[in-house]
């Protein structure tokens, strides 16, 4: 999940000198931001500092991140916009990511796992049509229901670019890759597999098992079978379901992570300790569990709460 960002004073300090996109594109700065949360909290895994929106950018659709205003991008509108997307230079345009990964790996050695990531085709398509907004996503949903050949053309481009991008990250030495389908829950339980799951499955198959794949899909609690069918080794779970019940419904060789409501990190250390313990008790003795949040660290989380979460996990018996 997102662990860097505004919550860290050392990140905010860098942001006074560089824009978000500058930091993503500079291997040295991206490596530094990746390491900041590890230095402070000694998490078991680092996730490379980048963004899911580097894929639209590599296909010819740039984005910006503005303080206060969030994500801004010129959105796709027509079939011609989709046909203009050009995946031929993905490796070249995203070369800064493997460079950053190699720098991080050099510092972390084998002490801390390193995770590469991407957005899922469906979630990326949603940003490409609707930008940062979270309205009813009418444009993309309408295309899915009424013009499947065009929808499939867009998904094919995204799936190919993403597969190549993850292979680049694997070549650069990541221990696992995570596919974020943060907007998977926009679809009904009956359409998720066609709109999103099958494309994620294609991507995972293209990796040929070289590293484990984690799929985080938010709000898709009616789709455990579809998620398992992607071939993911780990499923990231939001905080609206009981993790032990999800675990019990999945095949034995699929693990689970996530599930702590990130909001608790904005409350008090006592609440954090209680909620962390509740989750750990629920999963006591259950194999295939990695502790994680149900979504990214909120920008207004308190550092002492993150520390309390870590202390509670590490001292749990
Ligand atoms: O530790 C890390 O930060 C890992 C790197 C990472 C970022 N984004 C950096 C980032 C990861 C894994 C992501 C994934 C990402 N980006 C997702 C999927 C996961 C999720 O949270 O749902 C999505 C949907 C995006 C797109 C995106 N990027 C949005 C919607 C925003 C704005 C959110 C906001 O806080 O307004 C971003 C910005 C972003 N990406 C930040 C970071 C650290 C915040 C920038 C900042 O705080 O300066």
């Amino acid at each position: 999940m997102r662990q860097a960002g505004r919550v860290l004073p050392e990140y905010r300090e860098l942001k006074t000198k560089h824009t978000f996109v500058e930091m993503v594109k500079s291997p040295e700065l991206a490596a530094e931001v990746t390491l900041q949360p590890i230095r402070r909290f000694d998490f078991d895994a680092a996730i490379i500092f980048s963004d899911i929106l580097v894929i639209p950018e590599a296909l010819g659709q740039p984005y910006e991140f503005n303080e206060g205003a969030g994500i801004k991008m010129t959105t796709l509108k027509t079939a011609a916009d989709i046909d203009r997307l050009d995946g031929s230079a993905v490796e070249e345009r995203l070369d800064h990511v493997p460079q950053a990964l190699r720098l991080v790996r050099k510092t972390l050695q084998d002490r801390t796992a390193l995770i590469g990531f991407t957005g899922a085709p469906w979630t990326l398509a949603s940003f490409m049509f609707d930008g940062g907004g979270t309205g009813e996503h009418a444009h993309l949903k309408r295309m899915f229901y009424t013009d499947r050949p065009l929808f499939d053309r867009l998904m094919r481009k995204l799936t190919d670019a993403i597969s190549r991008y993850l292979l680049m990250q694997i070549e650069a030495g990541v221990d696992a890759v995570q596919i974020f389908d943060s907007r998977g829950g926009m679809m009904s339980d009956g359409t998720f597999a066609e709109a999103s799951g099958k494309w994620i499955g294609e991507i995972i198959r293209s990796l040929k098992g070289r590293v484990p794949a984690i799929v985080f899909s938010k709000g898709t609690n009616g789709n455990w079978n579809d998620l398992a069918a992607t071939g993911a080794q780990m499923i990231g779970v939001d905080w609206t379901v009981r993790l032990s019940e999800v675990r019990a419904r999945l095949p034995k060789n699929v693990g689970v992570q996530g599930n702590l409501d990130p909001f608790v990190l904005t409350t008090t250390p006592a609440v954090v300790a209680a909620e962390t313990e509740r989750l750990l008790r629920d999963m006591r003795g259950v194999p295939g569990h990695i502790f994680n949040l149900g979504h990214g660290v909120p920008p207004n989380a308190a550092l002492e709460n993150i520390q309390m979460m870590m202390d509670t996990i590490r001292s749990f018996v």
Side-chain angles (χ1 to χ4, degrees):
M1 290 296 166
R2 267 198 248 158
Q3 55 189 19
R6 277 162 288 180
V7 66
L8 298 175
E10 54 273 33
Y11 174 90
R12 290 201 299 268
E13 167 68 27
L14 274 182
K15 276 284 281 290
T16 62
K17 294 183 225 128
H18 309 278
T19 67
F20 179 77
V21 174
E22 272 167 19
M23 297 201 300
V24 166
K25 287 190 177 166
S26 151
E28 290 74 23
L29 291 173
E32 167 59 21
V33 175
T34 304
L35 292 166
Q36 285 176 345
I38 306 304
R39 280 191 207 113
R40 205 179 256 273
F41 298 111
D42 191 28
F43 297 130
D44 295 324
I47 184 159
I48 189 69
F49 176 76
S50 181
D51 203 84
I52 62 168
L53 301 174
V54 299
I55 287 284
E57 175 162 68
L59 296 173
Q61 189 188 5
Y63 72 101
E64 281 173 47
F65 174 77
N66 296 325
E67 224 53 59
I71 292 298
K72 260 189 40 192
M73 57 204 303
T74 310
T75 49
L76 305 181
K77 291 184 179 64
T78 62
D81 292 342
I82 291 175
D83 290 332
R84 247 194 312 275
L85 296 171
D86 174 13
S88 62
V90 163
E91 282 80 5
E92 204 179 305
R93 288 183 184 162
L94 295 179
D95 186 51
H96 51 89
V97 178
Q99 287 186 45
L101 285 167
R102 290 194 169 93
L103 290 174
V104 174
R105 176 56 92 198
K106 220 195 256 166
T107 306
L108 293 178
Q109 302 285 334
D110 286 334
R111 193 183 130 65
T112 307
L114 179 56
I115 302 175
F117 74 92
T118 178
W122 170 262
T123 287
L124 287 178
S126 154
F127 275 91
M128 291 162 87
F129 275 93
D130 299 312
T134 51
E136 64 171 351
H137 307 289
H139 203 134
L140 181 62
K141 288 176 86 160
R142 195 173 310 283
M143 183 166 69
F144 171 79
Y145 285 115
T146 66
D147 192 350
R148 194 63 67 84
L150 183 60
F151 176 82
D152 284 353
R153 215 148 76 219
L154 172 61
M155 291 314 216
R156 169 69 44 222
K157 281 193 175 185
L158 286 167
T159 298
D160 289 350
I162 290 166
S163 300
R164 282 156 53 205
Y165 178 48
L166 289 182
L167 286 168
M168 286 167 71
Q169 297 185 58
I170 292 170
E171 287 296 317
V174 297
D175 298 295
V177 291
Q178 179 150 358
I179 300 172
F180 287 96
D181 199 15
S182 309
R183 292 185 173 177
M186 276 160 53
M187 294 308 281
S188 66
D189 64 339
T191 52
F192 172 80
E194 281 293 307
S196 183
K198 82 168 188 191
W199 307 101
I200 296 176
E202 273 202 32
I203 292 165
I204 292 178
R205 279 193 295 283
S206 79
L207 308 180
K208 303 200 161 50
R210 287 172 64 187
V211 298
I214 308 161
V215 171
F216 169 70
S217 179
K218 189 159 174 295
T220 46
N221 298 330
N223 294 98
W224 303 119
N225 292 343
D226 298 325
L227 289 164
T230 63
Q233 279 79 6
M234 290 294 291
I235 305 286
V237 179
D238 68 23
W239 59 95
T240 60
V241 277
R242 184 156 305 188
L243 196 56
S244 57
E245 284 173 15
V246 174
R247 181 71 198 80
R249 294 182 55 170
L250 288 168
K252 286 212 162 32
N253 59 346
V254 178
V256 290
Q257 65 179 44
N259 198 233
L260 186 75
D261 181 355
F263 184 84
V264 302
L265 295 178
T266 71
T267 62
T268 66
V271 171
V272 170
E275 287 301 302
T276 302
E277 275 177 16
R278 193 158 65 84
L279 178 50
L280 290 169
R281 273 198 308 274
D282 179 44
M283 295 304 283
R284 199 199 294 271
V286 180
H289 170 222
I290 294 177
F291 192 96
N292 207 328
L293 301 181
H295 206 177
V297 176
N300 60 339
L303 296 177
E304 59 171 350
N305 288 341
I306 302 176
Q307 190 60 54
M308 177 56 90
M309 178 184 77
M310 291 304 285
D311 294 347
T312 307
I313 298 165
R314 295 229 157 114
S315 62
F316 186 76
V317 283

